[in-house]
mmCIF file of all heavy atoms in Angstrom:
data_model
loop_
_atom_site.group_PDB
_atom_site.id
_atom_site.type_symbol
_atom_site.label_atom_id
_atom_site.label_comp_id
_atom_site.label_asym_id
_atom_site.label_seq_id
_atom_site.Cartn_x
_atom_site.Cartn_y
_atom_site.Cartn_z
ATOM 1 N N PHE A 19 -1.307 -59.358 -22.851
ATOM 2 C CA PHE A 19 -1.319 -60.126 -24.119
ATOM 3 C C PHE A 19 -0.692 -61.502 -23.983
ATOM 4 O O PHE A 19 -1.137 -62.447 -24.632
ATOM 5 C CB PHE A 19 -0.580 -59.326 -25.206
ATOM 6 C CG PHE A 19 -1.349 -58.150 -25.729
ATOM 7 C CD1 PHE A 19 -1.211 -56.893 -25.159
ATOM 8 C CD2 PHE A 19 -2.242 -58.297 -26.779
ATOM 9 C CE1 PHE A 19 -1.920 -55.811 -25.618
ATOM 10 C CE2 PHE A 19 -2.961 -57.211 -27.257
ATOM 11 C CZ PHE A 19 -2.793 -55.953 -26.679
ATOM 12 N N ARG A 20 0.350 -61.642 -23.171
ATOM 13 C CA ARG A 20 0.958 -62.951 -22.975
ATOM 14 C C ARG A 20 0.244 -63.661 -21.826
ATOM 15 O O ARG A 20 0.267 -63.196 -20.687
ATOM 16 C CB ARG A 20 2.445 -62.839 -22.668
ATOM 17 C CG ARG A 20 3.117 -64.210 -22.545
ATOM 18 C CD ARG A 20 4.633 -64.119 -22.583
ATOM 19 N NE ARG A 20 5.220 -65.449 -22.648
ATOM 20 C CZ ARG A 20 6.467 -65.709 -23.053
ATOM 21 N NH1 ARG A 20 7.257 -64.717 -23.429
ATOM 22 N NH2 ARG A 20 6.920 -66.942 -23.075
ATOM 23 N N LEU A 21 -0.371 -64.776 -22.114
ATOM 24 C CA LEU A 21 -1.216 -65.478 -21.157
ATOM 25 C C LEU A 21 -0.605 -66.825 -20.848
ATOM 26 O O LEU A 21 -0.450 -67.688 -21.721
ATOM 27 C CB LEU A 21 -2.629 -65.672 -21.724
ATOM 28 C CG LEU A 21 -3.318 -64.413 -22.267
ATOM 29 C CD1 LEU A 21 -4.646 -64.767 -22.906
ATOM 30 C CD2 LEU A 21 -3.510 -63.391 -21.164
ATOM 31 N N GLY A 22 -0.238 -67.055 -19.583
ATOM 32 C CA GLY A 22 0.235 -68.328 -19.136
ATOM 33 C C GLY A 22 1.375 -68.880 -19.965
ATOM 34 O O GLY A 22 2.377 -68.211 -20.201
ATOM 35 N N PRO A 23 1.236 -70.127 -20.477
ATOM 36 C CA PRO A 23 2.311 -70.771 -21.215
ATOM 37 C C PRO A 23 2.429 -70.332 -22.658
ATOM 38 O O PRO A 23 3.213 -70.898 -23.433
ATOM 39 C CB PRO A 23 1.931 -72.251 -21.125
ATOM 40 C CG PRO A 23 0.431 -72.237 -21.067
ATOM 41 C CD PRO A 23 0.076 -71.031 -20.243
ATOM 42 N N MET A 24 1.675 -69.328 -23.073
ATOM 43 C CA MET A 24 1.750 -68.841 -24.446
ATOM 44 C C MET A 24 3.189 -68.466 -24.797
ATOM 45 O O MET A 24 3.911 -67.901 -23.977
ATOM 46 C CB MET A 24 0.837 -67.606 -24.577
ATOM 47 C CG MET A 24 0.611 -67.100 -25.987
ATOM 48 S SD MET A 24 -0.532 -65.683 -25.937
ATOM 49 C CE MET A 24 -2.082 -66.528 -25.497
ATOM 50 N N ASN A 25 3.642 -68.776 -26.024
ATOM 51 C CA ASN A 25 5.038 -68.474 -26.369
ATOM 52 C C ASN A 25 5.166 -67.041 -26.888
ATOM 53 O O ASN A 25 4.165 -66.357 -27.166
ATOM 54 C CB ASN A 25 5.601 -69.505 -27.379
ATOM 55 C CG ASN A 25 4.866 -69.479 -28.724
ATOM 56 O OD1 ASN A 25 4.578 -68.435 -29.287
ATOM 57 N ND2 ASN A 25 4.581 -70.677 -29.237
ATOM 58 N N TYR A 26 6.420 -66.597 -27.016
ATOM 59 C CA TYR A 26 6.678 -65.215 -27.430
ATOM 60 C C TYR A 26 6.120 -64.926 -28.818
ATOM 61 O O TYR A 26 5.543 -63.872 -29.068
ATOM 62 C CB TYR A 26 8.154 -64.889 -27.373
ATOM 63 C CG TYR A 26 8.441 -63.523 -27.959
ATOM 64 C CD1 TYR A 26 8.145 -62.373 -27.229
ATOM 65 C CD2 TYR A 26 8.907 -63.383 -29.266
ATOM 66 C CE1 TYR A 26 8.336 -61.112 -27.792
ATOM 67 C CE2 TYR A 26 9.108 -62.122 -29.820
ATOM 68 C CZ TYR A 26 8.816 -60.996 -29.075
ATOM 69 O OH TYR A 26 9.018 -59.742 -29.625
ATOM 70 N N GLU A 27 6.288 -65.861 -29.737
ATOM 71 C CA GLU A 27 5.854 -65.626 -31.120
ATOM 72 C C GLU A 27 4.350 -65.400 -31.195
ATOM 73 O O GLU A 27 3.882 -64.518 -31.926
ATOM 74 C CB GLU A 27 6.269 -66.804 -32.002
ATOM 75 C CG GLU A 27 7.774 -66.897 -32.268
ATOM 76 C CD GLU A 27 8.564 -67.375 -31.040
ATOM 77 O OE1 GLU A 27 7.960 -68.034 -30.158
ATOM 78 O OE2 GLU A 27 9.767 -67.087 -30.992
ATOM 79 N N GLN A 28 3.575 -66.192 -30.451
ATOM 80 C CA GLN A 28 2.120 -65.993 -30.423
ATOM 81 C C GLN A 28 1.767 -64.646 -29.838
ATOM 82 O O GLN A 28 0.883 -63.936 -30.345
ATOM 83 C CB GLN A 28 1.471 -67.126 -29.625
ATOM 84 C CG GLN A 28 1.554 -68.482 -30.266
ATOM 85 C CD GLN A 28 1.169 -69.598 -29.315
ATOM 86 O OE1 GLN A 28 1.471 -69.551 -28.117
ATOM 87 N NE2 GLN A 28 0.476 -70.616 -29.833
ATOM 88 N N THR A 29 2.470 -64.279 -28.759
ATOM 89 C CA THR A 29 2.223 -63.003 -28.115
ATOM 90 C C THR A 29 2.532 -61.838 -29.048
ATOM 91 O O THR A 29 1.745 -60.878 -29.163
ATOM 92 C CB THR A 29 3.072 -62.883 -26.827
ATOM 93 O OG1 THR A 29 2.829 -64.018 -25.996
ATOM 94 C CG2 THR A 29 2.764 -61.609 -26.080
ATOM 95 N N ALA A 30 3.687 -61.880 -29.702
ATOM 96 C CA ALA A 30 4.096 -60.807 -30.595
ATOM 97 C C ALA A 30 3.128 -60.642 -31.758
ATOM 98 O O ALA A 30 2.786 -59.519 -32.169
ATOM 99 C CB ALA A 30 5.514 -61.054 -31.102
ATOM 100 N N ALA A 31 2.645 -61.771 -32.295
ATOM 101 C CA ALA A 31 1.688 -61.715 -33.403
ATOM 102 C C ALA A 31 0.388 -61.078 -32.947
ATOM 103 O O ALA A 31 -0.209 -60.247 -33.661
ATOM 104 C CB ALA A 31 1.439 -63.113 -33.934
ATOM 105 N N SER A 32 -0.097 -61.443 -31.754
ATOM 106 C CA SER A 32 -1.334 -60.865 -31.216
ATOM 107 C C SER A 32 -1.183 -59.365 -30.971
ATOM 108 O O SER A 32 -2.055 -58.562 -31.326
ATOM 109 C CB SER A 32 -1.693 -61.581 -29.911
ATOM 110 O OG SER A 32 -2.743 -60.940 -29.240
ATOM 111 N N LEU A 33 -0.074 -58.991 -30.374
ATOM 112 C CA LEU A 33 0.202 -57.597 -30.055
ATOM 113 C C LEU A 33 0.241 -56.760 -31.327
ATOM 114 O O LEU A 33 -0.335 -55.646 -31.407
ATOM 115 C CB LEU A 33 1.521 -57.493 -29.299
ATOM 116 C CG LEU A 33 1.968 -56.177 -28.720
ATOM 117 C CD1 LEU A 33 0.992 -55.686 -27.666
ATOM 118 C CD2 LEU A 33 3.352 -56.334 -28.081
ATOM 119 N N THR A 34 0.883 -57.284 -32.359
ATOM 120 C CA THR A 34 0.995 -56.576 -33.623
ATOM 121 C C THR A 34 -0.352 -56.448 -34.338
ATOM 122 O O THR A 34 -0.701 -55.390 -34.877
ATOM 123 C CB THR A 34 2.030 -57.264 -34.533
ATOM 124 O OG1 THR A 34 3.294 -57.348 -33.842
ATOM 125 C CG2 THR A 34 2.219 -56.498 -35.829
ATOM 126 N N LEU A 35 -1.135 -57.544 -34.320
ATOM 127 C CA LEU A 35 -2.479 -57.490 -34.917
ATOM 128 C C LEU A 35 -3.361 -56.469 -34.198
ATOM 129 O O LEU A 35 -4.129 -55.739 -34.827
ATOM 130 C CB LEU A 35 -3.125 -58.862 -34.861
ATOM 131 C CG LEU A 35 -2.953 -59.810 -36.048
ATOM 132 C CD1 LEU A 35 -3.591 -61.152 -35.752
ATOM 133 C CD2 LEU A 35 -3.559 -59.191 -37.323
ATOM 134 N N PHE A 36 -3.235 -56.427 -32.879
ATOM 135 C CA PHE A 36 -4.039 -55.453 -32.131
ATOM 136 C C PHE A 36 -3.685 -54.037 -32.570
ATOM 137 O O PHE A 36 -4.569 -53.205 -32.797
ATOM 138 C CB PHE A 36 -3.811 -55.607 -30.617
ATOM 139 C CG PHE A 36 -4.717 -54.754 -29.804
ATOM 140 C CD1 PHE A 36 -5.916 -55.247 -29.328
ATOM 141 C CD2 PHE A 36 -4.409 -53.441 -29.499
ATOM 142 C CE1 PHE A 36 -6.775 -54.439 -28.581
ATOM 143 C CE2 PHE A 36 -5.264 -52.630 -28.760
ATOM 144 C CZ PHE A 36 -6.447 -53.146 -28.306
ATOM 145 N N ASN A 37 -2.404 -53.783 -32.689
ATOM 146 C CA ASN A 37 -1.956 -52.451 -33.085
ATOM 147 C C ASN A 37 -2.418 -52.101 -34.495
ATOM 148 O O ASN A 37 -2.905 -51.006 -34.761
ATOM 149 C CB ASN A 37 -0.433 -52.370 -32.987
ATOM 150 C CG ASN A 37 0.089 -50.999 -33.363
ATOM 151 O OD1 ASN A 37 0.011 -50.071 -32.591
ATOM 152 N ND2 ASN A 37 0.688 -50.895 -34.552
ATOM 153 N N ASP A 38 -2.277 -53.057 -35.411
ATOM 154 C CA ASP A 38 -2.522 -52.775 -36.821
ATOM 155 C C ASP A 38 -4.000 -52.784 -37.200
ATOM 156 O O ASP A 38 -4.419 -52.022 -38.089
ATOM 157 C CB ASP A 38 -1.767 -53.771 -37.699
ATOM 158 C CG ASP A 38 -0.250 -53.643 -37.577
ATOM 159 O OD1 ASP A 38 0.215 -52.624 -37.006
ATOM 160 O OD2 ASP A 38 0.467 -54.570 -38.025
ATOM 161 N N LYS A 39 -4.784 -53.658 -36.524
ATOM 162 C CA LYS A 39 -6.146 -53.889 -37.020
ATOM 163 C C LYS A 39 -7.239 -53.616 -35.988
ATOM 164 O O LYS A 39 -8.389 -53.385 -36.376
ATOM 165 C CB LYS A 39 -6.287 -55.312 -37.553
ATOM 166 C CG LYS A 39 -5.423 -55.592 -38.771
ATOM 167 C CD LYS A 39 -5.714 -56.973 -39.359
ATOM 168 C CE LYS A 39 -4.881 -57.225 -40.610
ATOM 169 N NZ LYS A 39 -5.176 -58.560 -41.222
ATOM 170 N N VAL A 40 -6.909 -53.670 -34.678
ATOM 171 C CA VAL A 40 -7.956 -53.430 -33.685
ATOM 172 C C VAL A 40 -8.029 -51.936 -33.331
ATOM 173 O O VAL A 40 -9.127 -51.359 -33.278
ATOM 174 C CB VAL A 40 -7.712 -54.254 -32.411
ATOM 175 C CG1 VAL A 40 -8.775 -53.940 -31.349
ATOM 176 C CG2 VAL A 40 -7.739 -55.742 -32.744
ATOM 177 N N ILE A 41 -6.890 -51.324 -33.080
ATOM 178 C CA ILE A 41 -6.899 -49.903 -32.684
ATOM 179 C C ILE A 41 -7.627 -49.045 -33.718
ATOM 180 O O ILE A 41 -8.476 -48.206 -33.335
ATOM 181 C CB ILE A 41 -5.481 -49.403 -32.406
ATOM 182 C CG1 ILE A 41 -4.919 -50.060 -31.125
ATOM 183 C CG2 ILE A 41 -5.452 -47.885 -32.265
ATOM 184 C CD1 ILE A 41 -3.482 -49.699 -30.801
ATOM 185 N N PRO A 42 -7.381 -49.239 -35.018
ATOM 186 C CA PRO A 42 -8.150 -48.423 -35.976
ATOM 187 C C PRO A 42 -9.661 -48.636 -35.894
ATOM 188 O O PRO A 42 -10.442 -47.696 -36.133
ATOM 189 C CB PRO A 42 -7.622 -48.888 -37.338
ATOM 190 C CG PRO A 42 -6.240 -49.384 -37.048
ATOM 191 C CD PRO A 42 -6.319 -50.017 -35.697
ATOM 192 N N GLY A 43 -10.069 -49.844 -35.503
ATOM 193 C CA GLY A 43 -11.499 -50.136 -35.355
ATOM 194 C C GLY A 43 -12.135 -49.515 -34.128
ATOM 195 O O GLY A 43 -13.362 -49.427 -34.015
ATOM 196 N N LEU A 44 -11.293 -49.084 -33.186
ATOM 197 C CA LEU A 44 -11.800 -48.440 -31.982
ATOM 198 C C LEU A 44 -11.702 -46.924 -32.054
ATOM 199 O O LEU A 44 -11.967 -46.244 -31.086
ATOM 200 C CB LEU A 44 -11.011 -48.944 -30.750
ATOM 201 C CG LEU A 44 -11.317 -50.381 -30.316
ATOM 202 C CD1 LEU A 44 -10.301 -50.863 -29.322
ATOM 203 C CD2 LEU A 44 -12.728 -50.451 -29.716
#
């Protein structure tokens, strides 16, 4: 989820969205 120079806040938001909204869709 953390790619290159991406900051922690962006990574945490992506990780949380994946958990909350992507996993249910799969």
Side-chain angles (χ1 to χ4, degrees):
F19 286 91
R20 184 166 187 160
L21 308 175
M24 190 178 290
N25 64 45
Y26 173 76
E27 290 73 23
Q28 291 168 324
T29 306
S32 171
L33 188 62
T34 303
L35 268 176
F36 187 93
N37 181 76
D38 295 347
K39 296 186 178 181
V40 177
I41 291 177
L44 287 168

